[in-house]
Amino acid sequence: MPVRIWRTPLDIEKVKRPKAEIHIIKDQCKGCGFCIQFCPKDVLEESEEINERGVHPPRVVDESRCVLCGFCTSICPDFAIFVVEKQCKKEC
Amino acid sequence: MAKKDRTVLTGVHFMNGDVACAEGAMAAGCRFFAGYPITPATEIAERMARRMIEFGGIFVQMEDELASMAAIIGASWAGAKSMTATSGPGFSLMQENIGLAVMTETPCVVVDIMRGAPSTGQPTEGAQQDVMQSKWGSHGDYEIIALAPASVQEMFDLTIECFNLAETYRAPTFLLADGFTGHLWERVVIPRPEEIKTVDRKKPSVPPDKYMPFKPDEDLVPPMACFGEGYYVHVTGLTHDMRGYPKTVDPKIQYELVQRLCGKIRKNADKIVRTYEFMLEDAEVAVVAYGIPSRASVSAVKRAREAGIRAGLLRLVTVWPFPEKQVEELSNRVKLMVVPEMNCGQVVREVERIAKETPVHFIPKIGGEPHTPSEIFEVIRRTAKA
Amino acid sequence: MTATQKFDTHSLAKYLRVERFPHIWCEGCGNGIILNCFVNALDDLGININELVVVSGIGCMGRVAGYIKCDSFHTTHGRPIALASGIKLANPKLTIAVISGDGDLFAIGGNHFIHAARRNVDMTVICSNNFNYGMTGGQFGPTTPLDSYTTTTPYGNIEHPFNLVHLAAAAGAVYVARWTVLHVKRLTESIKKALQKKGFKFIEVVSPCPEIYGRRNKLGKAVDTMKQYREISEIRHGYDPSKAKITSEKIIVGEFVDTEKPTYGELLQRQFIKVQERLTGG
């Protein structure tokens, strides 16, 4: 059951939502579509370009939507996509 | 691991051949035995079940011989000297993984106490019907090492030698004993542990990032890094390159690999082959024998000498690689050769092939009774006259 | 977003033999996901890779041994469990993972599976169940559903399939779980739990075979099979494995068995101490 927050958390100023950095190793992708299909935030879509294998690798629609769930990283059978937390020195 | 040393049973014993083999293995450093009961090799497993634990080693009775062979390969890669023991029917089951041991260059010892064959055959009668199978039983071209003991003392000594050869050449090594030698009771002298010479596998002399698991040294044998030593070795039964990675469609890699797997035994045959000569210096008739028939041959040769025939015996201690040089040299010196075997013709084919012009007379005997000295003497007498 | 061409920048690349990639598995094959979850589990646990050995058999999943950067053995068909028993008993410090396919582990390897489970030899067995023999072109196997089409059942399969989790539980495994390759997080957690537990652990992973089994049985593309898993799978921890048969309407997943039992190695060690005490007379 999702938790409903009915008031603003007291530490909302201190806690920063981590920013995502999505890496796509285009020529490693075999075009299965798992990452695109199962991303909970619809961050990815099939790109127009064709990679070395003759398939369309994914492309990022909106990186800011990514919540770093890591599902794409784990569901990719070809290690062609992974997401890491963006390391920022200051607010980014 | 052992607190009290009840390990090597130094002293003089009256022992069964199978038991002597087990004791020899443990004295050689064997610390892993996986087997399955089969007449006439069950006593080896039973002895191991009782004694291995005293050495701090492992005895496992596996669910079948296929598993036994697989388990000893695994144990060898984990660093242990490992062995299994079986007879004909189990030996047939092990062939697949014997091929794996050859391909992955795994040192291990397989004892085959041969019994009447084919199939279930005569479980309680000895034979020598698996000799060709030990060399050709698994699919493909390969070489192995096989020793044939002819006494209970040799069941002890040659088992130790099997381990040493397996470790030196990284190949499965076979102890081919006939069922009689396996169940014979004789005097055995077991030396002190420090008098027993053991050999351990070559270890890599370079760090992991420079090591290639299947890159051979001068002697065509690669040093062996085991699992758990930080070398991250990948081992496969597929044709592989020197890193151990499968490379199955390159003819050059297959050729080089198979040539080397065979070559490391053939090239070192002089160091591996052992034979024993009895009264051969001026012999005109040579008996070529191995295992129990060689003992009857000794009596037959003595009797022949008394009858004025210059007979002698070449006893093959090593059966594979076949002692080609020794047999060839002998065939050039003598007028005829006699080969007694407890099968329908196995080693005799090798002798015929090598002896070429020299006539070879074969004395087969199957059914469970070893050759008697009279039988061999009669053939010597009859053929020497002709 | 960074579009990088270099595989060795992947966060898990250090566990893989990157020079051997891309791997041989088809587009949409679940084996790649199983490999992914496995190395993810290794990473999360911080396992000492020097003490890890991966043993696999023949088949598509069997190729996994060549892709993980650790000591690994790609054995003959059906024998990884027997070989792994030898490795573990000879060097108990090592952590053993047997990763192989349904045919390798349960047809030719069936005997070794049930006995290793019965003995409770300490190892983790991960079975990629794609319902056919993929590598040789798609023949039926012990988990192929009734009426399915494969090259050796051109008129439909007339053999009843195994219920693998039931078999594993009945044979005595101390941890039995089933997941599909869609359940990546749960599968990773399951693998982590299994690697840390003592005894014979079994994880069945239901996996698509889109190019062969899927195509021949008109199951659509891999992503369609995955959507189907989402529809029909149901997580029921502690469910009775004998009732958890896989059907086209329902795949029950979860952890079915999680118990403790002395392992073969532990019992052997206890026996060794007893024998030594008797020999030293005290």
Side-chain angles (χ1 to χ4, degrees):
Chain A
M1 290 284 284
V3 173
R4 275 191 214 104
I5 303 172
W6 60 85
R7 60 170 174 82
T8 318
L10 293 172
D11 57 355
I12 197 161
E13 299 300 318
K14 294 206 206 87
V15 176
K16 298 276 175 269
R17 214 187 80 192
K19 292 265 193 283
E21 199 174 84
I22 303 170
H23 295 250
I24 297 179
I25 309 172
K26 285 198 208 155
D27 286 326
Q28 195 110 326
C29 173
K30 285 184 188 154
C32 65
F34 293 164
C35 55
I36 299 166
Q37 178 67 40
F38 295 110
C39 171
K41 293 291 179 186
D42 296 318
V43 171
L44 303 163
E45 69 177 11
E46 197 180 83
S47 64
E48 291 295 319
E49 62 177 297
I50 297 195
N51 71 0
E52 197 176 78
R53 322 200 141 277
V55 296
H56 301 288
R59 69 168 212 94
V60 176
V61 169
D62 182 358
E63 200 173 55
S64 66
R65 285 218 289 261
C66 173
V67 291
L68 276 156
C69 74
F71 200 81
C72 58
T73 310
S74 294
I75 198 90
C76 178
D78 298 285
F79 298 88
I81 182 168
F82 63 101
V83 61
V84 291
E85 191 176 332
K86 200 178 255 183
Q87 300 300 322
C88 312
K89 287 205 186 67
K90 53 179 180 70
E91 184 91 37
C92 52
Chain B
M1 233 173 136
K3 280 197 214 126
K4 170 174 169 158
D5 198 16
R6 249 249 331 154
T7 51
V8 179
L9 300 176
T10 305
V12 179
H13 304 264
F14 183 59
M15 225 179 224
N16 167 304
D18 282 351
V19 169
C21 171
E23 289 297 326
M26 291 183 280
C30 174
R31 294 293 174 264
F32 186 91
F33 179 91
Y36 192 77
I38 184 168
T39 310
T42 310
E43 288 81 355
I44 301 180
E46 289 175 342
R47 185 74 174 192
M48 287 289 191
R50 183 171 286 283
R51 291 268 292 139
M52 201 43 126
I53 201 168
E54 294 170 10
F55 282 81
I58 314 266
F59 163 81
V60 191
Q61 182 184 296
M62 300 297 285
E63 56 273 19
D64 52 41
E65 286 87 346
L66 299 139
S68 302
M69 191 67 209
I72 70 165
I73 294 175
S76 188
W77 277 94
K81 289 191 185 175
S82 59
M83 170 169 128
T84 184
T86 189
S87 187
F91 199 46
S92 292
L93 289 173
M94 290 182 183
Q95 293 305 322
E96 176 206 38
N97 283 323
I98 285 171
L100 181 64
V102 167
M103 191 56 141
T104 56
E105 304 187 69
T106 307
C108 53
V109 173
V110 179
V111 176
D112 180 9
I113 312 289
M114 300 179 279
R115 72 192 214 181
S119 192
T120 316
Q122 299 176 293
T124 53
E125 305 290 356
Q128 290 178 317
Q129 294 179 270
D130 306 343
V131 180
M132 279 295 172
Q133 188 191 18
S134 66
K135 166 80 174 78
W136 301 105
S138 191
H139 52 283
D141 296 295
Y142 62 97
E143 294 282 340
I144 45 87
I145 302 173
L147 306 185
S151 66
V152 176
Q153 182 68 52
E154 283 203 333
M155 288 291 276
F156 181 89
D157 295 333
L158 292 186
T159 305
I160 298 176
E161 186 147 330
C162 276
F163 276 97
N164 293 344
L165 288 166
E167 295 284 315
T168 307
Y169 296 103
R170 277 188 67 175
T173 306
F174 300 86
L175 188 80
L176 295 177
D178 50 76
F180 301 112
T181 316
H183 277 178
L184 198 58
W185 283 77
E186 276 187 324
R187 182 179 185 268
V188 178
V189 177
I190 296 183
R192 288 196 302 273
E194 51 273 20
E195 289 168 354
I196 298 174
K197 180 170 161 293
T198 57
V199 174
D200 291 323
R201 56 195 71 162
K202 274 192 292 184
K203 301 303 280 184
S205 54
V206 295
D209 53 341
K210 295 212 165 43
Y211 174 65
M212 289 214 268
F214 295 96
K215 179 158 178 252
D217 284 344
E218 283 277 313
D219 59 356
L220 299 183
V221 182
M224 183 174 179
C226 295
F227 292 162
E229 292 175 353
Y231 278 86
Y232 299 171
V233 184
H234 177 58
V235 188
T236 177
L238 287 166
T239 298
H240 46 269
D241 60 20
M242 292 201 281
R243 289 172 305 174
Y245 293 170
K247 281 272 183 305
T248 56
V249 296
D250 185 345
K252 190 158 163 284
I253 299 218
Q254 166 74 344
Y255 176 77
E256 281 169 4
L257 179 62
V258 176
Q259 285 289 99
R260 183 175 68 73
L261 291 177
C262 297
K264 70 180 176 184
I265 307 288
R266 291 189 193 144
K267 179 179 155 177
N268 294 300
D270 286 336
K271 297 199 204 85
I272 298 169
V273 166
R274 279 222 287 130
T275 54
Y276 169 77
E277 295 186 9
F278 178 67
M279 292 192 161
L280 269 184
E281 303 78 19
D282 63 337
E284 285 186 329
V285 179
V287 181
V288 181
Y290 60 100
I292 264 244
S294 66
R295 295 171 70 139
S297 303
V298 169
S299 301
V301 160
K302 283 189 190 154
R303 238 200 270 181
R305 285 273 171 177
E306 280 165 19
I309 304 169
R310 299 219 299 264
L313 165 69
L314 178 70
R315 177 163 80 86
L316 308 178
V317 178
T318 312
V319 179
W320 299 113
F322 194 72
E324 293 188 358
K325 274 212 190 105
Q326 287 82 346
V327 171
E328 192 186 11
E329 188 268 331
L330 186 63
S331 70
N332 293 335
R333 287 201 270 135
V334 299
K335 296 217 175 72
L336 69 105
M337 300 171 99
V338 174
V339 182
E341 276 194 281
M342 293 196 297
N343 55 43
C344 299
Q346 296 197 14
V347 157
V348 68
R349 289 171 191 244
E350 290 291 291
V351 176
E352 280 170 354
R353 178 176 68 84
I354 295 161
K356 292 202 182 76
E357 303 293 315
T358 314
V360 178
H361 292 274
F362 175 48
I363 317 176
K365 191 157 188 193
I366 58 169
E369 289 170 346
H371 296 78
T372 62
S374 312
E375 283 167 355
I376 302 176
F377 169 65
E378 273 311 304
V379 175
I380 296 175
R381 196 178 56 80
R382 207 171 9 98
T383 52
K385 239 199 284 190
Chain C
M1 137 82 182
T2 314
T4 162
Q5 301 309 313
K6 289 177 71 70
F7 180 22
D8 34 19
T9 56
H10 193 293
S11 43
L12 295 172
K14 60 181 185 283
Y15 298 101
L16 304 169
R17 294 191 197 261
V18 296
E19 65 275 18
R20 296 204 63 216
F21 278 70
H23 54 55
I24 57 147
W25 299 317
C26 300
E27 167 236 305
C29 171
N31 291 348
I33 305 178
I34 295 173
L35 172 60
N36 197 331
C37 293
F38 183 74
V39 295
N40 211 342
L42 297 179
D43 193 38
D44 278 354
L45 286 177
I47 285 234
N48 179 1
I49 302 295
N50 284 4
E51 292 182 351
L52 173 72
V53 181
V54 170
V55 188
S56 67
I58 302 295
C60 288
M61 188 79 248
R63 292 300 191 105
V64 75
Y67 295 127
I68 306 181
K69 196 152 140 199
C70 66
D71 290 318
S72 55
F73 207 126
H74 179 216
T75 70
T76 37
H77 199 19
R79 317 295 166 211
I81 288 181
L83 205 132
S85 302
I87 301 175
K88 179 70 192 187
L89 294 175
N91 189 347
K93 269 197 322 179
L94 301 173
T95 302
I96 315 286
V98 172
I99 311 177
S100 205
D102 49 284
D104 188 78
L105 288 173
F106 290 97
I108 185 169
N111 201 29
H112 305 309
F113 180 88
I114 57 176
H115 286 279
R118 177 181 60 80
R119 285 187 201 111
N120 203 23
V121 185
D122 185 14
M123 63 175 74
T124 304
V125 177
I126 301 172
C127 173
S128 170
N129 184 4
N130 67 357
F131 308 107
N132 73 162
Y133 286 24
M135 176 146 271
T136 38
Q139 295 75 39
F140 79 100
T143 57
T144 305
L146 212 53
D147 302 325
S148 291
Y149 293 106
T150 67
T151 64
T152 42
T153 56
Y155 310 112
N157 182 29
I158 55 172
E159 293 189 10
H160 300 280
F162 269 142
N163 172 351
L164 297 182
V165 292
H166 181 32
L167 182 59
V174 294
Y175 178 80
V176 178
R178 176 196 284 145
W179 299 106
T180 71
V181 287
L182 183 61
H183 298 85
V184 286
K185 297 285 179 191
R186 311 256 187 181
L187 175 59
T188 309
E189 289 304 307
S190 226
I191 296 174
K192 278 160 70 177
K193 195 167 181 178
L195 286 171
Q196 292 182 297
K197 218 177 139 68
K198 290 245 160 294
F200 188 91
K201 291 96 41 176
F202 175 66
I203 304 174
E204 175 189 350
V205 190
V206 175
S207 174
C209 176
E211 294 299 317
I212 294 182
Y213 184 74
R215 190 193 298 271
R216 200 163 274 123
N217 288 277
K218 304 204 185 328
L219 299 179
K221 299 174 65 145
V223 76
D224 298 320
T225 310
M226 294 287 254
K227 282 193 215 159
Q228 224 233 345
Y229 291 162
R230 187 168 55 182
E231 288 287 313
I232 68 172
S233 64
E234 192 180 315
I235 302 178
R236 303 279 292 270
H237 291 305
Y239 198 75
D240 180 358
S242 67
K243 298 190 171 58
K245 269 213 262 272
I246 296 178
T247 67
S248 51
E249 276 96 54
K250 184 138 298 278
I251 302 177
I252 310 248
V253 298
E255 296 178 352
F256 303 119
V257 174
D258 189 358
T259 58
E260 307 284 328
K261 194 163 80 171
T263 68
Y264 189 91
E266 282 167 358
L267 292 173
L268 195 59
Q269 182 63 13
R270 271 188 225 169
Q271 207 169 65
F272 172 75
I273 292 171
K274 244 206 285 201
V275 169
Q276 285 300 313
E277 278 171 4
R278 209 177 54 210
L279 287 175
T280 55

